[in-house]
Structures are given as structure tokens and as C-alpha cells.
Amino acid sequence: MKALRCTILFIATLIVMSCNNENKVLDIEVFQTSAKGNTLSKITQFQKADSLVMLKLNPEQTFQTITGFGGAFTESSAFLLNKLSKENRKKIIDAYFSKEGAHYSLTRTHMNSCDFSLSNYSYAPVEGDKNLEHFTVEEDKDDLIPFIKEAMAASSDGFKIFGSPWTAPPWMKDNNNWVGGKLLSEYYETWALFFSKYVDAYKAEGIDIWGFTVENEPLGNGNNWESMHYTPDEMTHFVQNYLGPKLEADGKGDLKILGYDQNREHLKEWIDSQYKNEETSKYFDGTAIHWYASTFHYFPEELQYAHNKAPDKLLIQSEACADAEIPVWKDDAWYWKKEATDWGWDWAPEEDKHMHPKYAPVNRYARDIIGCLNNWVDGWVDWNMVLDTKGGPNWFKNWCIAPVIVDPEKDEVYFTPLYYTMAHFSKYIRPGAKVIGVDKSDDALMATASENPDGTIAIVLFNEYQTPKTINLSLHDKHVEFSIDAQAIQTIIIPKQELITN
């Protein structure tokens, strides 16, 4: 009898130990996009790799709150959608904005025309109209506005949209030209009024504007397409004394104003001007940045500087694209290879050419987004959502690549690997998420993690190299082991209960 009791006790102990071990296993879902063919595919079978990476989550260590991820509404994209069948138009809009798709949450659009417009135009077409009595967004009613409204209808949670002017109308500028020049001081009040009227005009169309950048690329773009120049102090002066007070006076003080809106290598001087003191910083809600200074370097020192100077302000990547390239059609492998070149490959000064080597488009997107999230950036916005097989249409013939490419003549659509790369972030890291700490044993693997408002945790990994890796992921006292393929991006979702039970 004693032996039987011992046997029963031993079996019971094994059962308890087994249950305890089961409780220590972390529950996860894994979604992968890879060079070998996965496209945001759910992965349940993993092959053990020789390279082991220890990954530890620290949810108690929190950083910035996420504003969102998304792309830009441009006239070029809207024009192309108008040329497609209703089925393909809806397919693309749902793919970007529905919960089943990329679920974009932060978007941008241009005020007046830009390089990705079909022609030059302004909402203030009448010269000398200082009170903007002839202000009109009629130019947008055939393409941009319907595109935005259909996106709103497709989105279950809605999304934020901010406007960016490339230039004031030529009659307000010292060179009377669409390209280059500066805003004449006599039109500072008129230009501030322009922003307020834009909000009203779009509101009348059923579209709420969340905010603005003050000027797209205030340093200029080599005098190529629509532009208008500011120095840092000139922009601060305009916001402090004209734009901010005007929006406040018109009952629009809750609209976000983002300064700068160009490449990160000059970020410090703009930050210093905007946030010089309480008076200069009052109306700035944050800063917008672009990635075009390099195809691989995400400028962590500059991003850290911006945060430390103004820790309560937004820091949003407002534009990015694979530029100076004609899209490669239905060849996923190309987007994973270091074949692309950017503007700097040909045009950068000799001392800067090392910042613009050949690169793989997927690598450029994944590296930059993860690098930004790990350095206080709270929003990341792509450029055109849709372009054609030539990289346009575009009045300046400034060809670029978008995540979705279409052939309107054949009514065909190609979702490039860049679309799935964006979705790894936008679909699973939602507005209001908190970036949390991640410790890892392998510097070659890029990783970022966020805790969503619903309590789920989303981890994004990027392995740009040819060697697959086994991942040992831990959260408090729970662990799980899985693997990431060579040349792959993964999003790992940890359900809410896993955080609660720890």
C-alpha cells in the first residue's frame, strides 16, 4: 500500500510539473514576409537554425506613444485609381485601409499641386486675392477627395490626415514662380488664412484634417518641382506669429502643426529654432522628417537629439519612397536584392556618396521603420500609395516606386513586397501603442516591440541576411522558441492574457 501511495504521489508530481512547464510556454502568432515567397503569411511550422538569438521583452520599460503608420493621398495615385475597374479600385483601397488589409492609420496629402500631380495648380488662383475670396478645392473633387472618402469608408477605425503645401501660389512669392523662392512678408497673413480655409473646405466635403506640416522640404529640392524656401528661424517666425495665432483665433487650435519636413541630417538646427524657448515652441506640436539623406543610415543621434530637446512633442516620418527608380513589375525577388539606386547615386556630392550605395528596397523600408521606432519616432508615412509601371504619372517626370503598382491599360494590380513590409507595422502596431524595451543577443537582427491599447504586444523582426535564425523569446518567466528565415520580416503577436498572467 505504501508503495502504491508513493507511485500515485510520483505520478501526481509529474502531472503538476508538466502543467507548470506548459504554463511557462509563451503563446504567440507569427506572420512573415520573406524573399522565398511569404507575403504576410501566418507561420506555424519552424525549422531550427544554427544561429540562436535570445530576445527578451521589457514591457515595464516604455517609450513613445504611436501616432500611426500609412501613406500619402496624391493626385497621381487618385488619377490611376479612377482609370481602374471598380473591382480593382476597391481591392487596392481595402488592402490599404480595411482591418483585413494594412489598416493604415496616419496619412498625408498635398495642399495645392506637388511633383506627383498632373499639372501645377493652386487653391488660390486669383492673383492679389489677399482675403482668399476665390479659394477653392475644385481641383481635388474629381480624384483626391473621392479617394480619401472611399478610404474613410473602408476603414473601421478611421485614420488621421495631415496636409502639406509644396508651395504658395506664385503670386505670393518673391520670384513669382512655382519653383523655389520665398513667401513675401506682405502675404504671411494670407498664407496663414490659406491653411484655415483648407480645413473648412475639406470639412465641407466630409473630411476632417488632423494637422499640417508647414512646408514640404523648406530647404528646396534643387529647383526641380514645386517648392518654397524657409530658414529655420523664418519658419518659426511664421508659425509663432501667423499660422498658430490664426488657427487659434479661428477655433482650430487643436490642429497639429509639424515643423521642418525634410531630411534628418539637418534636423538639429530646425529643432533648436522651433524649441528655443516657450514662445517659439508654443504652436509647434512636433516635427516632420524625411529619409532621403541616406539609403541605410537612419540618423539615430539626430532623432535622439530631437526627442531630448522636446520630449513631449511629436516626431513623425512624413515621406519616404524608393526614388529615382522605375518600378520593377511582378518580380518580387528584385525588391530583396541590392540593385536599386537613389537620387544620391548620381547627384550627391562626392563626400556624401557613401550614404547612397545600391540597396534592396525591402531592406531600406524595414531598417528605417525599425530604426525610427527605436529612436522616438511615433509615426511613419510612406509617399504615393499607387503608381503606374513607369513610376508616375508625374508632371516633372520624377519617377518613383510605390508599394502598389498598376497597369491601367490592362487593369492589372501588383502588390509589391513593399506593401507587405508596410503592413507588418501598420496592421499590428495601432495608434496609442507604447513602444517597449527589447533586449537581444544579436546585433544583426533588427527588432522593435510595442504594447497596443488592447493589451496585445506586437514585435517586428527583420533579418536582412542570408542565414536563418532561431529565436528564443521571453516575457517575464515565459519562453517560446521559433525561427525567422533568411531575408525575412516577421511580426509576432502576443495576446493580452499573456501579459496579464505575468
Side-chain angles (χ1 to χ4, degrees):
M1 180 67 79
K2 182 178 179 182
L4 179 60
R5 283 201 302 270
C6 289
T7 301
I8 292 170
L9 181 62
F10 177 70
I11 292 171
T13 302
L14 287 179
I15 292 171
V16 170
M17 288 176 63
S18 175
C19 289
N20 285 342
N21 285 337
E22 284 182 10
N23 288 338
K24 297 294 184 181
V25 177
L26 193 60
D27 184 21
I28 62 170
E29 286 185 300
V30 180
F31 302 90
Q32 179 169 281
T33 297
S34 65
K36 76 175 188 181
N38 297 130
T39 51
L40 209 66
S41 308
K42 186 172 182 178
I43 306 296
T44 56
Q45 301 294 319
F46 302 97
Q47 188 169 358
K48 194 175 180 68
D50 293 335
S51 177
L52 175 64
V53 182
M54 306 299 292
L55 206 67
K56 180 184 177 183
L57 298 179
N58 302 307
E60 295 81 12
Q61 185 183 25
T62 60
F63 300 93
Q64 73 274 30
T65 300
I66 294 297
T67 302
F69 300 89
F73 296 101
T74 63
E75 186 183 27
S76 294
S77 294
F79 170 81
L80 289 169
L81 287 173
N82 283 350
K83 293 174 72 70
L84 298 176
S85 64
K86 289 183 179 179
E87 292 75 17
N88 275 336
R89 178 186 178 93
K90 185 177 188 309
K91 179 180 180 181
I92 292 169
I93 291 174
D94 285 349
Y96 272 124
F97 290 98
S98 73
K99 193 171 185 178
E100 293 70 33
H103 210 186
Y104 273 9
S105 54
L106 179 64
T107 65
R108 183 191 194 209
T109 192
H110 51 93
M111 300 158 62
N112 296 329
S113 63
C114 68
D115 48 326
F116 278 88
S117 297
L118 305 185
S119 62
N120 305 131
Y121 67 86
S122 172
Y123 305 140
V126 178
E127 188 168 348
D129 181 18
K130 294 187 83 167
N131 295 323
L132 300 182
E133 294 174 2
H134 301 280
F135 185 96
T136 175
V137 294
E138 194 67 30
E139 284 278 359
D140 295 348
K141 290 184 178 180
D142 291 334
D143 38 48
L144 267 179
I145 287 172
F147 181 13
I148 295 169
K149 292 180 77 170
E150 287 179 44
M152 290 166 60
S155 176
S156 58
D157 297 342
F159 52 85
K160 297 177 176 69
I161 181 168
F162 60 94
S164 296
W166 266 236
T167 183
W171 58 266
M172 292 189 196
K173 298 166 65 178
D174 61 3
N175 67 347
N176 196 32
N177 200 312
W178 292 102
V179 178
K182 292 190 175 188
L183 183 66
L184 289 166
S185 59
E186 65 192 90
Y187 291 118
Y188 272 34
E189 287 187 5
T190 303
W191 189 230
L193 174 63
F194 184 99
F195 285 76
S196 185
K197 279 189 167 285
Y198 173 79
V199 173
D200 292 338
Y202 263 66
K203 180 75 172 178
E205 297 296 326
I207 299 168
D208 289 328
I209 299 298
W210 173 74
F212 304 102
T213 68
V214 183
E215 167 63 34
N216 176 72
E217 298 182 348
L219 295 169
N221 53 48
N223 290 331
N224 290 314
W225 50 86
E226 291 97 329
S227 58
M228 187 166 73
H229 300 171
Y230 289 90
T231 66
D233 286 347
E234 285 169 346
M235 181 179 286
T236 297
H237 171 69
F238 173 66
V239 171
Q240 179 183 348
N241 298 294
Y242 295 91
L243 181 58
K246 179 58 180 172
L247 294 177
E248 190 173 61
D250 287 354
K252 302 181 176 80
D254 58 339
L255 290 168
K256 306 301 182 186
I257 299 177
L258 306 176
Y260 189 36
D261 204 12
Q262 201 161 351
N263 297 345
R264 298 170 203 166
E265 82 272 37
H266 298 296
L267 181 56
K268 289 183 179 180
E269 59 193 281
W270 292 79
I271 289 294
D272 285 344
S273 177
Q274 292 171 197
Y275 305 127
K276 184 181 299 182
N277 53 49
E278 188 175 341
E279 288 73 26
T280 61
S281 63
K282 176 181 178 180
Y283 293 109
F284 282 107
D285 295 283
T287 308
I289 49 174
H290 297 181
W291 78 352
Y292 302 109
S294 175
T295 58
F296 67 91
H297 185 39
Y298 43 85
F299 295 89
E301 289 184 9
E302 285 77 2
L303 297 176
Q304 291 280 343
Y305 182 88
H307 170 75
N308 291 334
K309 189 82 172 184
D312 297 326
K313 303 289 187 177
L314 301 170
L315 188 55
I316 291 176
Q317 162 71 27
S318 56
E319 184 185 316
C321 72
D323 62 318
E325 282 281 354
I326 295 174
V328 175
W329 178 254
K330 293 190 176 181
D331 180 7
D332 285 4
W334 181 87
Y335 293 83
W336 290 91
K337 294 176 182 175
K338 291 186 177 181
E339 298 293 336
T341 59
D342 72 345
W343 70 272
W345 177 262
D346 296 313
W347 298 106
E350 197 60 40
E351 65 270 19
D352 293 338
K353 280 192 180 295
H354 72 283
M355 300 291 276
H356 302 274
K358 286 190 174 183
Y359 69 94
V362 166
N363 293 17
R364 189 178 185 188
Y365 271 72
R367 282 180 52 81
D368 196 82
I369 301 173
I370 293 174
C372 280
L373 291 176
N374 290 342
N375 287 280
W376 297 104
V377 172
D378 55 89
W380 206 99
V381 181
D382 191 27
W383 188 206
N384 296 277
M385 289 187 234
V386 184
L387 291 175
D388 63 21
T389 56
K390 296 177 181 177
N394 176 318
W395 76 264
F396 187 76
K397 300 183 179 179
N398 171 34
W399 312 129
C400 295
I401 298 175
V404 177
I405 305 299
V406 300
D407 184 337
E409 304 305 319
K410 297 179 180 178
D411 193 32
E412 292 183 359
V413 180
Y414 171 38
F415 289 86
T416 76
L418 301 180
Y419 164 80
Y420 299 102
T421 302
M422 284 295 303
H424 272 278
F425 300 90
S426 61
K427 185 178 180 69
Y428 300 108
I429 304 177
R430 302 303 300 159
K434 282 277 190 183
V435 176
I436 63 173
V438 182
D439 295 328
K440 57 188 177 72
S441 62
D442 184 352
D443 289 339
L445 180 73
M446 296 194 75
T448 192
S450 298
E451 183 181 345
N452 283 307
D454 67 359
T456 61
I457 290 177
I459 307 129
V460 184
L461 307 179
F462 178 51
N463 178 20
E464 67 176 284
Y465 300 102
Q466 299 291 334
T467 306
K469 297 176 184 292
T470 294
I471 311 296
N472 185 295
L473 175 65
S474 65
L475 173 62
H476 300 307
D477 62 343
K478 291 190 174 184
H479 299 260
V480 67
E481 199 166 274
F482 59 98
S483 60
I484 184 170
D485 284 336
Q487 291 186 280
I489 182 170
Q490 279 185 351
T491 301
I492 299 95
I493 301 298
I494 301 176
K496 176 180 181 179
Q497 63 267 21
E498 291 293 281
L499 192 62
I500 293 174
T501 56
N502 281 288

